[in-house]
């Protein structure tokens, strides 16, 4: 998701209150680290089965958690956030006792947990889940109504965690391999979740929608969307064959959606070109209308951009190119490759989701309008960069980095593309990432190493500079006759990124370092030196 509005303001105020160094609690560690009570078991399967009562804003049901024992332990950590309460935890017919430490629940298992065995735990729960204050940034349940007064309900929980509405192992590092999602709703409404609809079970006053996700899925990707939906769809012939693309929108918006969602097919074509096959053919692709702006829910991307281009009608780049596409269709779907296919192990590395996905906006433009449009767009988004704190957050405490992970991140990747001087190779690297880390959770180091190896450039200092500091390299230079003196300032150790310049319209490369260097230019009486704007650096001409 794209988040640079209210969310960021609130975060900055919190940081200011704590004198720039955020304080972390024991709860943050329980939520954000791989605790011993998590480390010993590997998630295999979830069977989430709940009833949603819109009138009471109440949910109840259970999640069956199947796991593989990796090492012996008798205590298992399950996460569920208040005000929801656990009513029962059962294994093999025995009710178990548990200790709750805030939102973490340590369950004592009775039967010996033998290495290699698959065991199941059924966690029953109910209550009034937290309502979303500002979905999707401050998520939970959004209990809304449509223009006809019908309930229009959706969940969102990135950052906050899926345990805000269902019990699970709430850490990014361990994705479940597959999942059943069964949601019971009043008869006049429909539920749309992730994956494919297997069947609808008709009850007297309610219907149960049985969805199934055949691929690994991250917790925050799981979602419930309930409304008076109508359906339309298409089949896309993609790199891995026929892909069903299904659309669920409010009854009154069908005409608008049929027009606007033509961009979904355009998106799929552009992103398969740049990133490789859509990663979830078995589960299909969906766009689902929701009462908030949108979110990258895996195989059921949610949409609330009001059927207009731009970000709620605005061009985030100021270049004009941002109005050539529907921001939510393009950005949130881009996450299918970066966030859902390749997922960060720790939310501190969330740039892996957002930098590449913000960058996918340019690549979409590049595919349909060419590299100049793409460059103008990404350069235009630099006005949104704040350099307030590093892009990488704090590990082990569920704390993401700066919102600069979006547009500073995309500009960093755009800069890297320049260094390669080979767009086809760059495309193969982006596709290679999605193949190498297919359906995996990863760390920043894995991505850095892969990019260094594939580009054949040691990018250690490059990533240290852009991901781990707020410093933007400054290229200082002065001209005297045909001599150009130049150096970098404001850089980390060993930062020596080459940069392209134009001397009297002639392109050449400079290789600046922290020390002054001198270059003899092929110069005339009046020499004009222009530093290529595609590189995200600052330039200081000392001769002026
Ligand atoms: Zn995003």
């Amino acid at each position: 998701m794209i988040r640079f509005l209210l969310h960021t303001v609130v975060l900055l105020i919190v940081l200011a209150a704590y004198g720039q160094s955020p304080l972390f609690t024991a709860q943050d560690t329980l939520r954000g680290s791989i605790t011993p009570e998590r480390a010993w078991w590997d998630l295999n399967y979830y069977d989430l089965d709940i009833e949603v009562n819109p009138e009471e804003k109440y949910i109840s049901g259970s999640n069956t958690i199947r796991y593989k024992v990796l090492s012996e332990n008798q205590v298992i950590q399950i996460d569920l956030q208040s005000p929801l309460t656990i009513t029962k935890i059962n294994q093999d017919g025995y009710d178990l006792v548990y200790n709750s430490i805030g939102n973490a629940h340590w369950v004592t298992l009775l039967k010996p947990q033998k290495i290699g065995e698959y065991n199941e735990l059924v966690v029953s729960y109910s209550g009034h889940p937290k309502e979303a204050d500002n979905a999707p940034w401050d998520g939970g349940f959004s209990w809304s109504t449509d223009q006809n007064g019908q309930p229009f309900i959706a969940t969102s929980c990135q950052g906050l965690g899926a345990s805000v509405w269902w019990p699970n192992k709430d850490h990014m590092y361990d994705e479940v391999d597959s999942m059943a999602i069964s949601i019971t709703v009043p008869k006049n409404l429909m539920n749309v979740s992730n994956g494919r609809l297997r069947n609808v079970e008709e009850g007297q006053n309610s219907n149960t929608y049985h969805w199934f996700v055949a691929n690994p899925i991250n917790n925050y990707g799981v979602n419930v969307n309930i409304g008076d939906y109508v359906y339309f769809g298409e089949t896309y012939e993609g790199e891995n064959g026929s892909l069903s693309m299904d659309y669920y929108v409010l009854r009154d918006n069908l005409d608008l959606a049929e027009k606007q969602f033509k961009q979904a097919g355009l998106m799929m074509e552009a992103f398969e070109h740049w990133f490789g096959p859509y990663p979830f053919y078995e589960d299909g692709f969906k766009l689902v209308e929701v009462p908030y702006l949108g979110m990258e829910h895996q195989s059921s991307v949610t949409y609330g951009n009001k059927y207009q281009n731009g970000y709620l009608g605005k061009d985030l780049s100021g270049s004009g190119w941002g109005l050539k596409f529907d921001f939510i269709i393009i950005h949130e779907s881009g996450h299918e490759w970066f966030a859902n296919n390749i997922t960060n192990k720790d939310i501190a590395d969330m740039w892996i989701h957002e930098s590449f996905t913000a960058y996918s906006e340019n690549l979409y433009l590049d595919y349909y309008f060419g590299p100049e449009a793409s460059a103008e767009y990404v350069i235009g988004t630099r006005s949104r960069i704040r350099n307030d704190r590093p892009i990488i957050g704090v590990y082990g405490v569920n704390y993401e980095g700066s919102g600069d992970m979006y547009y500073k991140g995309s500009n960093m990747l755009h800069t890297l593309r320049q260094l390669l001087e080979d767009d086809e190779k760059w495309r193969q690297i982006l596709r290679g990432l999605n193949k190498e880390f297919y359906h995996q959770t990863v760390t920043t180091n894995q991505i850095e190493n892969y990019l260094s190896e594939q580009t054949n450039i040691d990018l250690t200092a490059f990533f240290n500079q852009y991901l781990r500091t707020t410093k933007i390299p400054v290229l200082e230079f002065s001209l005297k006759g045909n001599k150009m003196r130049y150096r970098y300032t404001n850089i980390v150790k060993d930062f020596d990124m080459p940069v392209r310049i134009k001397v009297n319209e002639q392109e050449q490369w400079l290789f600046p370092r922290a020390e002054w260097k001198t270059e003899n230019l092929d110069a005339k009486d009046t020499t004009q030196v222009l530093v290529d704007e595609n590189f995200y650096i600052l330039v200081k001409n000392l001769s002026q």
Side-chain angles (χ1 to χ4, degrees), residues 1-2 296 331-332 335 354 357 406:
M1 187 46 212
I2 167 91
E296 64 255 28
H331 178 96
E332 304 307 340
H335 278 305
E354 298 301 349
T357 301
Y406 293 87

Side-chain angles (χ1 to χ4, degrees), residues 119-132:
N119 293 327
E120 282 188 1
L121 203 62
V122 185
V123 183
S124 304
Y125 74 110
S126 62
H128 301 274
K130 176 188 176 298
E131 288 189 37

Side-chain angles (χ1 to χ4, degrees), residues 70-81:
L70 302 176
S71 62
E72 285 175 21
N73 199 313
Q74 292 302 119
V75 180
I76 188 166
Q77 180 179 335
I78 303 298
D79 306 282
L80 182 70
Q81 298 179 29

Side-chain angles (χ1 to χ4, degrees), residues 6 25 36 155 174 193 195 234 242 247 280 322 345 371 378 415 461 466 529:
L6 188 66
T25 63
T155 58
D174 192 6
S193 287
E234 61 182 311
S242 296
Y247 311 116
F280 309 106
K345 272 192 201 297
V378 69
T415 303
Y466 288 109
V529 172

Side-chain angles (χ1 to χ4, degrees), residues 1-3 158 220 295-296 327 331-332 335 338-339 350 353-355 357-358 361 406:
M1 187 46 212
I2 167 91
R3 48 173 77 207
Q158 189 184 21
Y220 81 84
M295 177 52 75
E296 64 255 28
F327 182 92
H331 178 96
E332 304 307 340
H335 278 305
F338 293 96
M350 194 171 142
H353 298 192
E354 298 301 349
S355 298
T357 301
E361 297 157 26
Y406 293 87

Side-chain angles (χ1 to χ4, degrees), residues 236-239 245 262-278 325 329-330 333-334 337-338 359-369 427 430-431 434:
Y236 180 82
E237 296 305 327
E239 290 195 12
M245 297 183 65
K262 289 201 164 48
Q263 291 187 41
L266 298 176
M267 170 283 296
M268 197 55 76
E269 185 182 329
F271 288 169
E272 285 210 326
H273 170 81
W274 282 109
F275 301 146
Y278 173 70
F325 60 93
I329 295 177
I330 303 311
S333 302
W337 285 264
F338 293 96
Y359 183 59
S360 77
E361 297 157 26
N362 323 331
L363 294 180
Y364 178 83
L365 286 170
D366 195 300
Y367 188 79
Y368 289 106
F369 302 97
R427 185 170 81 96
L430 294 170
R431 291 173 68 96
N434 277 283

Side-chain angles (χ1 to χ4, degrees), residues 381-424:
T381 59
R382 284 181 195 166
S383 62
R384 303 197 164 268
I385 300 172
R386 288 184 304 266
N387 286 308
D388 52 350
R389 56 194 184 92
I391 284 178
I392 292 181
V394 182
Y395 293 104
V397 285
N398 194 45
Y399 188 76
E400 61 196 57
S402 165
D404 283 346
M405 70 177 84
Y406 293 87
Y407 292 114
K408 185 176 166 185
S410 61
N411 273 285
M412 176 186 79
L413 294 170
H414 182 67
T415 303
L416 184 51
R417 177 184 182 170
Q418 312 308 315
L419 298 179
L420 247 71
E421 279 195 298
D422 183 344
D423 284 352
E424 182 51 26

